[in-house]
Amino acid sequence: MKQREISRRSVLQGSLMASALAGTASYFGPWKENRVWAQGAAKPIKLGLTCDASGQYGNSGQDDLRGIQMAIDEANAKGGVLGRKITWITADTETTPATGSRLAERFITREDCTILIGAVHSGVANAITQVAAKNGVIYLNTNSSAPSEAGENCSRIKFVWDGNGTNFSKASVANAVNSIGKKWMLLTNDYVWGHTTSAATKAQVEGAGGKIVDNLLVPQNTRDFTAYLLKIQQAKPDVVATAVGGDDIKALREQVAQLKLDGKPAWINNQQDWPDVWGSPDSLFGVFGTTWYHKLALPGVADFVKKWQATNKEGSIPVPGNVSYNGYMATRELLRAIERAGSTNNVKIIKELENLKVSATDRMQHFDAYMDPVTHQMQQTIYLARRNPKPADKTDLYEIISWTEPKAVADTDAQAKCKLVPYEQVPTVDS
Amino acid sequence: MFDLLPHILNGLTLGLLFALIALGFMLIVGLMEQINLAHGSLFALGAYFAMQLMGPRPPLPADLAQSWLALPLGWRYAATLILAPAAVGLVGIAIEFCMRRTYGKDPLYGLLLTFGAAMVIEEMIRLTWGTRDYVVQVPQAVSGGFIFGDLIWSTYRFYAAGIAAAVIGLVWLLIEKTSFGATVKAGAHDSEIVRALGINLTRLRLLVFVFGTMLAAVAGIIVAPIWGIRPHMGVDAVIPAFLVIVLGGVGSFWGAVVAGLLVGLAVGLSGAYASEWSLLSMYVLLVAVVTFRARGLWGKKSVLEA
């Protein structure tokens, strides 16, 4: 079902690119930059933003982009990084690994991007990683959260900024087995994030003395969940744990709410990305994980929300959610790392990011966060939430019910699976 | 066996929805021999127009909007089922006006034109409503669930299947039992003779195309509360529509209906018993049928079998 989408958008992008090449870009793009360099200004640092604009995670990809742009704008407003302006280019990865890979190749070899940022779908993130690693280009996986991204698919050039399926499972499962019941069913999106996240949940359930009675695989782009919901009703589990994302979880939520199955069984949705929640808040149910919420009662949150709103007046989502937050934090920390390294040499930046520690205040979370040097995944506070029964305004959809410190939910399995190549084997990149 | 029954029932209701989605597509292919690749986008447009009409801010002058919103939800929903397809019908007129130059020429021209129209409509949807998702309100009477055989079922799904069955029946009556239907079928069979008989074929083709377009919109409105509304939802409709008419046999009304039901059963049963196959099952079904019967279940004998 994706094929039509791909070709439609590819054709459109192709036409737009062709007209851009034939028209304004050739007059005002490179010439303008060359003129600036000729006047003695430093060459800009060019970032490739690999964000989805269509497909299953099109909405989230664009929300990611908003956060990334905000961090870039802030840096440029302060005069750039190392006295150099930050420029960027983006195109639609279509939530498709093949397109993500093609785009990464183009950004690196033809657009001279020396750093890539952005992904929501783990398959897309992994495809981009392969291209980036081959070229030694640093890649920030902002929002895809398959445990494999910092496990078997980790890379010296890649840094993962979202909490992963294991982190969220560790925060929620043991408590639910003890307080709700031992009979569990899994509902798993049939791709890398779904599989690895459900595997992590299964391990946690069994570790806590529970039992998985069935695992229903949900193909990507499933719109009708009735067969699954009937099967769940027939099996009568205590808890259903979902690892379903993007447009699929939106359709699932609508149908669960319509059948009023949102009370029994209990539902644990591994993670809810804000763009997936916004638009149909009435179907928000169960307990779910997140890394940030725009109404956390912490210093700096309200100011951040105001700044984000000032730069995103036209957006369809009125407040920053976890996706935009991760995009912002990843980009901000990258630019700071370049400043600290005093260089755009890739290995120097990588070493800075590997030693990254961010205070709770600076992250606007409850606990200090740190980059795991073994897996390159940001270890941060994991929040559990449920629908807010008494919202303060129409954006106040979550009730945060717990926050867990990074060490308590650390993905120790990923550390055993991740094998980073030595620095000497990373091709040198310097912009 | 008792466990199986709910899934058969679910598959049949889903099948009626697939048949409804395919119906307008089938009419245009069968009666005009034009493949309308914009069918999915028109399906989406129907859902968006309905959402806009039903939503808190309908696109009407203030006084009229107030009176409209004062109507009970059920009445507004019923009116929307007519108004939104009518609005989409206007878009259909515009497409047909562009398309008429391609009649009688290489079918590729028509394909490219409707493909372009699909792209334009989808981008217009993004520009107008953005990339976010929307929900269509449905009347209280048909929302929620009911208990049947120890299981909770979606009331709206059965209501939607009922509407689909009713629309399918009405279209059948129109095509098979009216002089309009007879003329349309004759026009598809031999346009030269029909023209020679003094029938305005240009107007006839316009009517068929717009009718097919409006059926796409009706399907969009009916299915939207189940699938949700988002800009690329048309893709979710056009592929099953294409699959259903190929499976049923191009041009066959009952072929499309039976194929829709078979696809629904395949998706419903595989969803329950081999869930990873649930989307793939419709393609497997198609391959299984066309391998042995290239014309589809009720299609006319094609050159592939000569």
Side-chain angles (χ1 to χ4, degrees):
Chain A
M1 292 179 86
K2 295 306 299 169
Q3 291 303 312
R4 182 68 55 203
E5 179 81 4
I6 294 162
S7 64
R8 266 198 214 168
R9 298 207 56 82
S10 307
V11 170
L12 187 66
Q13 280 160 9
S15 338
L16 286 174
M17 274 182 56
S19 48
L21 284 173
T24 53
S26 55
Y27 285 100
F28 300 108
W31 286 11
K32 189 179 168 189
E33 254 175 27
N34 289 342
R35 276 202 305 275
V36 174
W37 300 343
Q39 287 161 9
K43 180 186 164 192
I45 298 169
K46 191 169 182 182
L47 309 177
L49 312 184
T50 52
C51 302
D52 314 317
S54 62
Q56 189 179 357
Y57 290 112
N59 247 342
S60 291
Q62 291 306 289
D63 207 39
D64 192 9
L65 186 61
R66 288 179 198 115
I68 297 168
Q69 283 173 336
M70 184 175 159
I72 295 172
D73 289 348
E74 277 183 8
N76 279 334
K78 290 177 191 162
V81 174
L82 304 176
R84 296 166 63 182
K85 197 182 165 209
I86 311 296
T87 59
W88 54 270
I89 183 171
T90 188
D92 182 9
T93 60
E94 299 167 343
T95 318
T96 308
T99 314
S101 172
R102 209 167 49 235
L103 203 65
E105 194 83 50
R106 197 185 92 204
F107 278 0
I108 294 168
T109 58
R110 282 166 46 193
E111 302 288 347
D112 293 329
C113 297
T114 48
I115 293 165
L116 301 180
I117 310 177
V120 185
H121 185 284
S122 304
V124 177
N126 192 26
I128 295 170
T129 308
Q130 309 293 323
V131 179
K134 184 181 74 182
N135 292 281
V137 164
I138 292 173
Y139 169 49
L140 309 186
N141 168 352
T142 43
N143 273 290
S144 90
S145 47
S148 54
E149 275 297 285
E152 56 268 43
N153 295 333
C154 72
S155 172
R156 181 67 78 183
I157 52 88
K158 173 166 66 181
F159 292 86
V160 182
W161 299 83
D162 197 4
N164 73 18
T166 305
N167 302 144
F168 293 115
S169 297
K170 282 194 168 179
S172 59
V173 169
N175 183 37
V177 170
N178 295 323
S179 61
I180 303 170
K182 296 190 188 310
K183 189 177 174 186
W184 286 52
M185 266 179 99
L186 301 175
L187 210 51
T188 305
N189 240 168
D190 198 3
Y191 76 100
V192 60
W193 169 72
H195 283 278
T196 49
T197 295
S198 279
T201 305
K202 182 171 185 278
Q204 296 297 318
V205 171
E206 290 173 350
K211 191 184 173 208
I212 304 291
V213 292
D214 206 349
N215 180 12
L216 301 179
L217 294 175
V218 178
Q220 283 186 80
N221 300 313
T222 292
R223 287 293 159 269
D224 198 292
F225 286 87
T226 322
Y228 301 89
L229 298 178
L230 290 171
K231 190 84 177 166
I232 288 167
Q233 291 192 67
Q234 287 173 328
K236 296 185 175 61
D238 298 314
V239 182
V240 181
T242 72
V244 179
D247 290 346
D248 295 0
I249 186 80
K250 288 183 251 183
L252 170 67
R253 286 210 332 259
E254 288 290 321
Q255 290 162 43
V256 169
Q258 199 176 60
L259 288 175
K260 303 204 186 307
L261 286 176
D262 42 349
K264 194 174 167 58
W267 292 77
I268 292 190
N269 301 318
N270 194 272
Q271 187 187 189
Q272 291 281 350
D273 283 336
W274 185 252
D276 297 345
V277 173
W278 187 255
S280 56
D282 292 341
S283 62
L284 190 58
F285 62 85
V287 170
F288 47 86
T290 187
T291 50
W292 192 75
Y293 181 52
H294 68 280
K295 284 192 183 284
L296 283 175
L298 292 172
V301 173
D303 279 349
F304 177 78
V305 173
K306 268 188 206 154
K307 270 193 232 163
W308 187 94
Q309 287 171 325
T311 50
N312 292 289
K313 286 176 188 150
E314 303 295 319
S316 53
I317 299 178
V319 288
N322 63 312
V323 174
S324 224
Y325 165 83
N326 284 333
Y328 172 84
M329 281 295 167
T331 312
R332 187 190 78 176
E333 294 307 331
L334 166 84
L335 299 177
R336 284 177 176 178
I338 297 174
E339 200 79 73
R340 282 198 304 276
S343 163
T344 48
N345 174 278
N346 59 342
V347 172
K348 285 185 181 167
I349 302 169
I350 287 171
K351 286 180 178 171
E352 280 298 327
L353 288 173
E354 283 175 344
N355 291 313
L356 179 66
K357 288 184 174 49
V358 190
S359 72
T361 315
D362 201 17
R363 286 273 301 178
M364 298 177 288
Q365 290 182 325
H366 278 75
F367 300 101
D368 294 350
Y370 63 96
M371 183 65 72
D372 184 333
V374 180
T375 65
H376 284 197
Q377 193 211 347
M378 196 69 187
Q379 304 299 306
Q380 58 187 304
T381 313
I382 296 294
Y383 296 91
L384 290 184
R386 63 184 170 214
R387 185 176 171 181
N388 189 354
K390 292 176 188 165
D393 59 55
K394 67 172 186 162
T395 70
D396 191 14
L397 304 177
Y398 288 5
E399 180 187 23
I400 301 290
I401 52 175
S402 75
W403 42 92
T404 313
E405 64 178 320
K407 278 191 178 141
V409 293
D411 184 358
T412 43
D413 291 347
Q415 289 185 340
K417 288 175 187 161
C418 174
K419 304 277 180 267
L420 300 175
V421 298
Y423 299 117
E424 301 76 51
Q425 286 180 23
V426 178
T428 304
V429 172
D430 205 332
S431 48
Chain B
M1 185 62 194
F2 189 70
D3 277 0
L4 191 65
L5 277 175
H7 298 291
I8 291 175
L9 189 57
N10 174 50
L12 290 173
T13 53
L14 184 59
L16 280 168
L17 296 179
F18 279 130
L20 177 67
I21 291 169
L23 205 59
F25 196 80
M26 187 278 291
L27 278 183
I28 293 170
V29 176
L31 303 178
M32 294 176 67
E33 297 188 336
Q34 294 282 338
I35 293 175
N36 177 20
L37 288 179
H39 187 78
S41 303
L42 295 161
F43 166 92
L45 206 55
Y48 272 95
F49 282 170
M51 175 273 296
Q52 188 75 63
L53 273 169
M54 297 281 289
R57 279 184 292 279
L60 298 167
D63 291 353
L64 205 57
Q66 212 169 8
S67 319
W68 167 255
L69 290 173
L71 286 174
L73 189 61
W75 285 99
R76 271 190 285 147
Y77 184 77
T80 299
L81 268 176
I82 296 164
L83 292 174
V88 175
L90 295 176
V91 179
I93 291 175
I95 298 174
E96 206 276 342
F97 263 91
C98 300
M99 209 161 109
R100 50 181 61 171
R101 293 160 185 238
T102 70
Y103 295 153
K105 294 184 181 159
D106 189 331
L108 192 63
Y109 292 120
L111 268 179
L112 284 173
L113 193 132
T114 52
F115 183 73
M119 283 166 54
V120 170
I121 293 170
E122 190 175 316
E123 291 309 316
M124 291 300 288
I125 286 174
R126 279 181 211 276
L127 284 173
T128 311
W129 288 286
T131 54
R132 62 166 283 197
D133 298 38
Y134 291 92
V135 180
V136 172
Q137 285 179 294
V138 295
Q140 192 72 32
V142 292
S143 66
F146 65 93
I147 305 279
F148 174 65
D150 203 26
L151 299 173
I152 302 173
W153 297 77
S154 158
T155 309
Y156 182 76
R157 181 169 302 256
F158 282 86
Y159 160 80
I163 294 252
V167 173
I168 290 167
L170 283 174
V171 172
W172 179 79
L173 283 175
L174 184 73
I175 299 300
E176 297 295 331
K177 300 290 174 193
T178 66
S179 60
F180 169 76
T183 318
V184 165
K185 282 195 289 182
H189 185 70
D190 195 333
S191 56
E192 289 301 313
I193 295 289
V194 167
R195 209 189 292 272
L197 287 170
I199 293 165
N200 186 342
L201 197 63
T202 308
R203 198 178 63 187
L204 193 67
R205 281 174 167 154
L206 174 69
L207 285 173
V208 171
F209 191 84
V210 171
F211 186 55
T213 299
M214 290 171 73
L215 282 175
V218 169
I221 301 166
I222 303 287
V223 177
I226 303 171
W227 288 5
I229 298 184
R230 49 194 68 101
H232 55 279
M233 65 186 283
V235 182
D236 300 330
V238 75
I239 304 290
F242 197 75
L243 197 136
V244 162
I245 62 154
V246 174
L247 183 62
V250 177
S252 166
F253 181 90
W254 290 113
V257 174
V258 173
L261 291 173
L262 283 176
V263 168
L265 277 174
V267 172
L269 289 171
S270 56
Y273 296 101
S275 54
E276 66 272 38
W277 286 82
S278 68
L279 279 190
L280 208 57
S281 63
M282 61 172 91
Y283 300 101
V284 173
L285 185 67
L286 179 71
V287 169
V289 169
V290 297
T291 300
F292 297 102
R293 201 174 159 82
R295 71 179 88 157
L297 294 171
W298 277 273
K300 294 174 215 157
K301 191 172 181 180
S302 74
V303 284
L304 293 169
E305 293 169 277

